[in-house]
Amino acid sequence: MKNVYLLLFVCFTVFHTVAQEKAPLITGKVNISIKEGTFDCDLTLSDIPAIKNYYIRLNSGMNPLHFRSKEPNDFLIYANKSFQDSTSTGESLAYYFRSNTKTSKFIPKSLQIRYVGKFPVATDTIANYSRVDWKGNIAFNQNSLRVDGNQSAWYPVLYDIDKDFTYEKVRYDIELVCNDCTTLYINGNIPVQGKSHRFKSDVPQELALFIGDYKYSKFDKTYVLNPDIDDSKLKEFGDLIESFKSYYTSKLNIPFDQATVFINTTPTSKNNAWMFVTYPSIYTIGWGDNGLKSLFNPKIQDWYRPFMAHELGHYYFGTYKVFNSELGDMMSEGFAEYLSLQLTKELLGKDSYQKNITKKINDLQQFKEEVIPFGAVKSQKDYLNRELYVYYYAPLMFEAVQKEIGDKQMWKWLATILKTETTFTNYEFLCNTLKETIKDDKKFAEIKSKYFESNRSVDNAVEKINEK
């Protein structure tokens, strides 16, 4: 799946993984310059849950003036840094506050952080660009700023270590100022034309941004920011996306709860191109034909449209429900890719579906001897090759399970996974939801043995998928 056109990276968050508590609230002011590549932030994180073992992540390019406890008492507080935040992706530093006893951590109910940051601005692709661009990058290009939420951690992100749960989704009331912008957008709101705006959301959102000098369009329940296609194609694009959403809704009986926002922009590098989701925003990053116009290019639309279906699938696997533990990444990506395969078969054509399946089978042949089945995975390092594991191996296992239990029960299993509350989405969770769905101990044991625990899982799955 890795190629010059598209690399799939996603990120994901959620409402339904743990029993819900009130999401934290972020208030304050953010001043950004897209020409200078600067942030000047005065933010307060409130309604902080009483967590004993935590980190507060903040992008390593942000320089704090101070951390200040606002509640229960108002005082400046010394921030310690941890170098053991193994679940961080590297963009952020992990802060925490020691209690008076020095043997435990203290966390206030409300915390103010004032900080600034300055980042490179890529103004062209000849002399002023970076070697690579990626999802968690704070990316200033010639006319905009693109930044995700959790991975970049441009705002303070609270992480519960014991529950492996990240509070990247927050309620917010933020005054956003950018004097060299014409359009402002914060995830969970609608785009606004202007240089400043007070954005508010009582629904928890991950704070992805896309601000700059660009135009946007709206068709039905779909927004397109900085489009690279004309109005006639935009209408066709909107209809296509609505058909994808309707298909998923009909199968899982879980409707999309917000308007979808598609963001089209260029990378800060010469060659990178990919997509990612911070729902309800779906970002497409690329040059020329790697943008939204790829959906209408006959030469590449057969593989580009399934990628779009994959990203929409992350509304369910990654947003409606977040996944953690050793198999969390596999479930988020593997099930989103499985959804894309089913949509491709039903809406885009069986030939496209079969080409995709055949490619996955062929590309796994060199990997199958070393692949570690789900039941033996102890950490994400056991994936060995993440791309092959989550985008190729996992969806093939799910295809085989579908052949074993039938379409109806397979969709029921997916819905059970999405609606079952749990603290950890681990191997036990994966097995228990399947067992509860099919209510057939013998069949469950057979599936578990052949596809979840066997060293021959790839061959077993291929044999089942190819059965006539």
Side-chain angles (χ1 to χ4, degrees), residues 96-158:
Y96 67 95
F97 313 114
R98 285 199 179 101
S99 66
N100 290 334
T101 66
K102 308 297 184 182
T103 59
S104 60
K105 295 178 181 179
F106 159 76
I107 190 166
K109 294 181 179 179
S110 179
L111 175 71
Q112 179 195 36
I113 311 176
R114 293 190 61 184
Y115 57 96
V116 297
K118 183 172 175 59
F119 300 86
V121 180
T123 56
D124 62 61
T125 57
I126 298 175
N128 190 337
Y129 59 92
S130 57
R131 175 66 180 83
V132 295
D133 196 356
W134 71 99
K135 176 177 180 287
N137 188 23
I138 293 181
F140 287 94
N141 64 14
Q142 70 276 9
N143 73 323
S144 68
L145 163 67
R146 179 206 84 230
V147 58
D148 88 315
N150 176 42
Q151 189 169 329
S152 70
W154 74 266
Y155 61 98
V157 177
L158 178 64

Side-chain angles (χ1 to χ4, degrees), residues 160-393:
D160 185 328
I161 299 170
D162 293 335
K163 291 185 178 180
D164 189 16
F165 183 80
T166 307
Y167 291 84
E168 70 266 49
K169 279 199 171 185
V170 294
R171 296 170 296 126
Y172 62 84
D173 184 347
I174 296 174
E175 181 183 358
L176 178 59
V177 179
C178 178
N179 288 322
D180 43 23
C181 293
T182 60
T183 305
L184 307 175
Y185 172 72
I186 296 183
N187 197 45
N189 260 267
I190 62 173
V192 172
Q193 290 185 326
K195 298 181 182 301
S196 65
H197 187 76
R198 184 179 176 185
F199 290 94
K200 300 176 67 175
S201 178
D202 292 326
V203 176
Q205 309 283 354
E206 189 174 347
L207 296 186
L209 301 177
F210 185 63
I211 65 175
D213 184 11
Y214 64 84
K215 298 180 181 180
Y216 67 90
S217 300
K218 180 180 184 294
F219 291 88
D220 297 325
K221 297 179 181 179
T222 301
Y223 286 85
V224 182
L225 279 53
N226 194 36
D228 63 345
I229 49 180
D230 60 29
D231 286 350
S232 64
K233 286 290 189 290
L234 282 168
K235 177 64 169 63
E236 189 177 345
F237 173 75
D239 291 342
L240 181 71
I241 296 305
E242 287 305 311
S243 72
F244 286 9
K245 292 162 70 174
S246 295
Y247 173 79
Y248 287 150
T249 299
S250 69
K251 295 297 184 180
L252 294 168
N253 199 29
I254 301 173
F256 286 75
D257 61 356
Q258 299 180 60
T260 309
V261 179
F262 289 87
I263 296 167
N264 185 73
T265 186
T266 55
T268 60
S269 57
K270 292 178 69 174
N271 297 320
N272 293 120
W274 75 100
M275 299 174 68
F276 71 85
V277 175
T278 304
Y279 189 79
S281 303
I282 298 178
Y283 289 74
T284 300
I285 300 100
W287 295 102
D289 288 337
N290 293 331
L292 294 178
K293 62 177 64 174
S294 299
L295 288 165
F296 307 99
N297 183 338
K299 294 181 180 179
I300 56 177
Q301 68 180 25
D302 283 350
W303 58 259
Y304 193 89
R305 293 188 181 200
F307 287 150
M308 190 65 73
H310 174 106
E311 301 306 332
L312 281 170
H314 276 304
Y315 166 65
Y316 299 101
F317 292 91
T319 303
Y320 186 88
K321 190 177 192 69
V322 73
F323 295 82
N324 60 14
S325 304
E326 68 281 355
L327 292 179
D329 187 28
M330 178 280 293
M331 283 190 261
S332 288
E333 295 296 347
F335 280 118
E337 183 66 6
Y338 172 80
L339 289 182
S340 174
L341 287 169
Q342 305 319 300
L343 183 147
T344 298
K345 180 168 56 177
E346 296 295 329
L347 300 186
L348 302 180
K350 291 183 179 179
D351 287 344
S352 294
Y353 162 82
Q354 191 57 53
K355 286 179 182 178
N356 202 329
I357 290 291
T358 300
K359 175 175 171 51
K360 292 184 189 302
I361 291 173
N362 291 340
D363 288 354
L364 281 175
Q365 293 310 301
Q366 297 296 321
F367 186 56
K368 67 179 184 180
E369 299 301 328
E370 57 184 306
V371 69
I372 297 174
F374 300 156
V377 170
K378 302 303 179 185
S379 74
Q380 290 187 15
K381 292 180 180 179
D382 291 335
Y383 294 177
L384 302 180
N385 181 318
R386 177 183 178 272
E387 183 178 342
L388 286 176
Y389 202 89
V390 304
Y391 298 120
Y392 290 61
Y393 174 70

